[in-house]
Structure formats: structure tokens, C-alpha cells
Amino acid sequence: MRVSALIKWPFLASLALAAVPALAADEVNLYTTREPGLIQPLLDSFSRDTGIKVNTVFVADGLLERVRAEGGRSPADVLMTVDSGNLLDLVGNGLTQGIESATLESVVPAHLRGADGSWFTLSLRDRVLYAHKDLELDSFNYEDLADPKWKGKVCIRSGQHPYNISLIAAMIAHDGVEATENWLRGVKANLARKAAGGDRDVARDILAGICDLGLANAYYVGRMKNEPAGSEQRRWGDAIKVIRPHFAYGSEGGTHVNISGAAVARHAPNRGNAVRLLEYLVGDQAQSLYAKANYEYPVKAGVELDPVVASFGALKVDPLPMTEIARFRKQASELVDRVGFDN
């Protein structure tokens, strides 16, 4: 319709404008696989500080399939996951878009974000050793878990769990497929029980005397040791100490981390607000909440840690890029099945 016609008959202008969806200038739509309770304080803080409402859609499973099915009609602005593999699958399937942000680039190290701005780490989850508190042990390499001296003394969750697949993929990148397969066989031979349960079950079984050590995420210890004294999970946490292992491949070794991370959705209708949310989540206030409410390790340097997490000592992150680890996820899963790790 010509502009002159709209001016001549104002009611036609009103009808034309009504047909155009209003821009949600004060909203942002978040699709997340994170438990809502863990991130809601961060989102509430963002809304208070910016006036932007966060509409959260919790997607326990099938985030990639949902966004792909929605296509260009998807209302998603930000896609958030708790595993680097899941996040990079979204990127690889063309469901995110690259952004430029000096704030994000100055906070997030290069190996923990996409080179094209297609994804960013928000917090770290280091894969550590839980050991009985009285065990005379103060350092460890991941490769040591296959040492026969630990036969019948190791507990761990399923090898096919994303936390362990990520670690195994990193080991393939560092040590090669053959060495990693031998390592998996050695760890399986050392198991005190079937590889199953969750990370906190490792601490539970150490307290029960079933095993002496195992691999799990550090932030669970923050949760357990901050439970009320005398509670069941507090007793689990008090039964163990945490050692941050390194890969045994030289002086550049570091501790394996998985991540919580996010990306701007490819068809984000509120792109500007999406970028603002990501920038906010790497700011001091949000990073402090990650550290003190969720017991995760902040991606931003210099943020004060929860005292329990701080007691684990300095975290030296394995410098291997997340994209390199992701390359070997399929092989890692195949190795787990080949050695019958979960049987």
C-alpha cells in the first residue's frame, strides 16, 4: 500500500501497523537444558538490572531437534547447555549465529569460545579425583586411574555419560586411540562396582568403604560440603578430599573441564537483548553467582570462589580447545562400548 494512501485514510495505517508483530524490546527468549533452579537467580538479577524480561523454556532433552524443527519461526534468542558437545552440536547444525562482543572476547579465553563468536563458555566444571580423606595422595594424573595398584578401589558413573565422554575424548586427543583404549580397560579392571549412578554416588561409596577414589565433577563437592552438618550428603562430602588431576603429557598439562555455555540462536528475534544477556552472564555479579550459588568455577578471572571450592587449590585448565575435544566424542563413545566399560 502506498504511503500517501495511509496518510489520506489514517484508519488504514492503523490496520497495516496492527498486522506487523510488535518487537519485544524488553524481552529475551532463553532455551536451556540447565535446571531452572540453578540459573533462575542469574536471570532474575539480569532482569532487575536491565529491565529485560527473560522468558525461559526448559528443554530437558532434544534441544537441537526442537530448534531445528522450529526453523525460521523459532522464538529462541539464546541457546544454553551444560555440555560442550551439546553446544557444539547446535553450532555444527547451523542453529547459532556468530556475534562480535568485545566484552565476551575479553573475558572468555580463546580455547573456551568459538573463533567466529558462535558460542561462549559461561562457567567451568572441572573433572576431578574424589579420594578418601585419609588416603596419602596429593597429586594425580588421569592416566593413573588405570594403575593396577587401584584394583577394586575405583568408583565412577557410566562411561557413556557426557561428562565421561568428554574426558575420554580429551584423552584420545592427548594420548591417541590405542593408549586411551588400554586406559579404559585398565580403569574397568580397577572398578569396585559397575560403572553407574551419579557423581555424588562416588563420594557416598567412598564413605561406605566400597572404593577409595573415583572421578567426578568438583562442583558437587561444593554442594555436599555446604549441606547442614550431619545431613547425609554432608557426610558424603566430608568423607573425601579433592585432587585436580592433569593429563600426563608434559609441562602444559592441565585439568579437564566441561562447560556450561551459550550461543545466540540463528533466527533470534531479539538479537540485541540476547547479546546483552550473554555479556551480563560473564560480568562480575553473574559470575559470582555461578561461583557461590552453583559452586561452579567462573570463566572470568579474579572472581571470588566459594570457600569449599577455593580449598581445592588453583585450577589450571587443560588448554586443549573444546572444538578439538568434540572431534573425538564419537570415537570415545565407541571405545566405551568396545571395552564393555558399562557392562
Side-chain angles (χ1 to χ4, degrees), residues 27-81:
E27 294 186 345
V28 64
N29 302 314
L30 170 67
Y31 280 20
T32 178
T33 63
R34 295 213 64 168
E35 296 175 28
L38 294 179
I39 60 167
Q40 198 57 50
L42 299 167
L43 304 180
D44 290 343
S45 177
F46 171 75
S47 294
R48 283 194 303 268
D49 289 356
T50 65
I52 298 172
K53 178 184 178 182
V54 182
N55 302 311
T56 305
V57 177
F58 174 59
V59 186
D61 298 298
L63 175 61
L64 185 151
E65 290 77 13
R66 174 169 179 162
V67 178
R68 184 163 53 192
E70 290 175 347
R73 303 183 307 277
S74 177
D77 294 308
V78 174
L79 308 176
M80 180 185 291
T81 75

Side-chain angles (χ1 to χ4, degrees), residues 2 4 25 37 41 61 63 67 69 85 126 135 159 161 178 198 220 237 275-276 279 322:
R2 295 174 60 183
S4 58
D61 298 298
L63 175 61
V67 178
D126 42 325
L135 200 62
H161 191 277
E178 183 178 354
Y220 287 115
V275 175
R276 287 188 69 183
E279 291 178 339
M322 288 291 164

Side-chain angles (χ1 to χ4, degrees), residues 95-130:
L95 300 177
T96 68
Q97 61 174 290
I99 60 171
E100 292 184 4
S101 167
T103 298
L104 288 163
E105 292 173 9
S106 66
V107 171
V108 183
H111 67 290
L112 296 175
R113 56 180 163 88
D116 57 354
S118 59
W119 63 275
F120 296 88
T121 292
L122 301 176
S123 65
L124 306 176
R125 297 171 156 207
D126 42 325
R127 199 80 177 142
V128 300
L129 187 79
Y130 290 8

